[in-house]
Structures are given as C-alpha cells and as structure tokens.
Amino acid sequence: MYRQVKNFYIDLSEKKADNAIELAAWTHAEFVRIHPFADGNGTTSRLIMNCQLLANGFLPISIAKESRLDYFNALEAYAVHWDLAPFADMIASLEELQLDLYLGIIDRQRERQ
C-alpha cells in the first residue's frame, strides 16, 4: 500500500496539466483505486481532485447523490478497464454546470448595477 501511494504522488508530480479535467479525474480515480484508508478514500480523493481543478483555474465541483450510480460506474470503468474517459466526461459536465452557475450569478449582478 505504501508503495502505491508513493508511486501515486510521483506519477502526479510528473503528469502534465495539458488537460486539467483529465488530470483531476485521474487524480480522483487513481486515489480511489489505491484505496489506502479504511474510511474516507472518496472524500479525500474528491478533495485532491478539487485542488487539481482549482490549481488549474477551474471551479471546484461536487457530485450529487442522484448521480452516485453514474459516479460509481465511471470509477469502476477506470479501476477495471483503465478507461478514464467516462469519469473525465462526468467531471467535464459537472465543471460546465458550475461554470454556468457562476456565469449566471455574474450576469445577475451586472443587471442590478
């Protein structure tokens, strides 16, 4: 387990942020796949993912309880088949929703001025 976590952080430092969404998705999915703790792996991985998003100029996201099945299926696609695309697509869609929300807030503020 120690070696897997160590390799995770080595891999993370070597990955390039050419695609920040994919980097954030990989960070989350890989940490969950390693599963280093008895409890709190999901929470920790979502925190690390949002740190990656923020560090690359994106907004933090949250995954609604209603999306839990899609979330688990996307993570399973990575864990079993090394297919990150379903999870990266999910993160991109959630990021788009957050951006739309924030842009709506900005528009409403401008209309009040």
Side-chain angles (χ1 to χ4, degrees):
M1 183 80 53
Y2 169 78
R3 184 179 311 274
Q4 287 178 305
V5 173
K6 181 180 176 184
N7 289 339
F8 167 78
Y9 282 104
I10 290 169
D11 291 345
L12 181 60
S13 68
E14 292 175 356
K15 285 201 175 286
K16 295 181 181 163
D18 293 337
N19 185 326
I21 299 294
E22 284 184 6
L23 176 62
W26 176 86
T27 301
H28 182 304
E30 182 64 13
F31 193 86
V32 167
R33 187 192 65 76
I34 295 169
H35 209 83
F37 308 125
D39 189 28
N41 294 289
T43 301
T44 303
S45 62
R46 287 187 295 276
L47 176 64
I48 295 170
M49 173 189 66
N50 278 319
C51 285
Q52 287 294 326
L53 289 171
L54 287 166
N56 287 289
F58 288 89
L59 297 169
I61 60 155
S62 63
I63 299 165
K65 288 181 182 179
E66 299 80 29
S67 300
R68 191 172 285 173
L69 182 59
D70 293 334
Y71 169 66
F72 289 137
N73 287 338
L75 288 175
E76 184 176 355
Y78 177 76
V80 174
H81 305 290
W82 299 99
D83 184 5
L84 187 61
F87 192 55
D89 290 345
M90 182 180 200
I91 300 307
S93 294
L94 292 169
E95 184 65 34
E96 186 175 3
L97 289 173
Q98 281 296 93
L99 290 168
D100 288 345
L101 175 70
Y102 276 62
L103 290 172
I105 291 168
I106 292 169
D107 287 344
R108 286 191 296 282
Q109 288 296 323
R110 287 183 178 157
E111 289 171 3
R112 290 182 189 163
Q113 295 176 349

